[in-house]
Amino acid sequence: LFLIIAWCIGIILPFLKPVLGGAVIAIALYPFFATAKRWVGHRNMLAGVLLTLLILVILLLPTALLIRSLVEGIQSLAIQFRNQTLVIPPPDPSVAGWPLIGKPISEIWLLASQSVESVITTYREPLSQLGMTFLGPLGGFGKSLIMFVISVIIAGAFLIKADASAAFVRKLVHRLVGERSDEIIPVTGVTIQNVAKGILGVAFFQFLTAGTVFVLASVPLAGLWAFAVLVLAILQLPTIIVILPVIIY
């Protein structure tokens, strides 16, 4: 019996996180779902499908554009490096005057402007560590993005069956806590919606701040990079994944 229970738990666990995530997203999106349902004549299926598709388009379209831009940039750098046409301008003399880090950065930058191969040979180990530090969060971003997409789809299913889902949750909570369920369920729903609003508020602030700085610094595709910051902030991933390359640029 213990082995059967452990086997069942092992099967359920991989699906538990996206299902719980979908439930949280459904609760957070329910006010928007209710509004969309009124617009489409109180048809749950149509409102749920439209809201789910809208969230997925907002999430996936900019992500696809960013990935394409990143791949094209890497390919361009690789071609320039292979053809020995990669040109790195020498550092401004003021760089050496930066506190603490100015001198080493200026020396490495100057060496890179003279010979990229020399920099790679001299600093192979630190560059490898830096690359792994940068690629690690990217891998986490891909996994989190997939899980988030699955959770959004599950949330859409919960919203389409909102009445049945709510009834199931009421029965489950009632079995767990008894008569207190009538107090706990509304408080839990409001708490989840407020937390979601807090996350979105912080994400929007980061988006606005990063976008303003990118525009003032004349960064190409500033709006796209700022939107990437918004997506990462919503997914609760480090926005340095986008901000660091922009700073380096």
Side-chain angles (χ1 to χ4, degrees):
L1 179 63
F2 176 78
L3 291 175
I4 294 175
I5 294 174
W7 179 66
C8 292
I9 292 174
I11 294 174
I12 293 172
L13 277 179
F15 302 97
L16 189 59
K17 186 175 179 180
V19 170
L20 291 176
V24 170
I25 293 172
I27 294 172
L29 291 179
Y30 186 79
F32 302 100
F33 171 75
T35 301
K37 189 169 70 169
R38 287 197 299 270
W39 289 348
V40 297
H42 297 278
R43 287 177 286 181
N44 281 22
M45 176 68 75
L46 182 59
V49 170
L50 289 177
L51 187 59
T52 302
L53 289 177
L54 178 62
I55 297 297
L56 291 177
V57 168
I58 291 174
L59 178 68
L60 295 179
L61 183 60
T63 302
L65 293 174
L66 285 170
I67 292 174
R68 193 178 96 178
S69 176
L70 180 63
V71 170
E72 289 177 351
I74 293 173
Q75 289 177 341
S76 176
L77 285 174
I79 292 171
Q80 292 180 52
F81 182 76
R82 185 171 63 248
N83 296 336
Q84 297 184 347
T85 58
L86 181 61
V87 177
I88 298 177
D92 190 275
S94 62
V95 174
W98 293 354
L100 300 176
I101 61 173
K103 189 174 181 180
I105 286 180
S106 180
E107 291 175 353
I108 297 172
W109 190 344
L110 182 61
L111 182 60
S113 68
Q114 297 169 349
S115 173
V116 177
E117 293 86 350
S118 299
V119 171
I120 295 175
T121 303
T122 305
Y123 300 98
R124 178 174 298 175
E125 188 65 27
L127 287 174
S128 299
Q129 295 176 358
L130 180 63
M132 292 304 298
T133 302
F134 182 70
L135 290 175
L138 282 179
F141 168 72
K143 181 180 177 181
S144 298
L145 181 63
I146 292 172
M147 294 297 290
F148 190 77
V149 169
I150 295 173
S151 295
V152 168
I153 294 172
I154 293 173
F158 283 151
L159 289 171
I160 290 171
K161 298 292 184 180
D163 295 335
S165 299
F168 172 77
V169 170
R170 289 192 191 96
K171 290 179 181 178
L172 179 62
V173 175
H174 183 75
R175 282 181 175 272
L176 294 174
V177 299
E179 297 299 329
R180 293 186 60 198
S181 61
D182 293 336
E183 301 174 8
I184 292 175
I185 291 175
V187 172
T188 303
V190 171
T191 301
I192 291 175
Q193 289 179 357
N194 287 338
V195 170
K197 289 177 182 178
I199 292 173
L200 292 175
V202 172
F204 183 75
F205 176 76
Q206 291 181 326
F207 160 73
L208 191 62
T209 304
T212 303
V213 173
F214 293 167
V215 170
L216 292 176
S218 301
V219 175
L221 302 175
L224 191 60
W225 296 116
F227 195 90
V229 170
L230 177 64
V231 171
L232 289 173
I234 291 174
L235 294 177
Q236 297 291 280
L237 290 171
T239 54
I240 195 69
I241 295 174
V242 172
I243 294 174
L244 182 59
V246 173
I247 291 174
I248 294 172
Y249 170 82

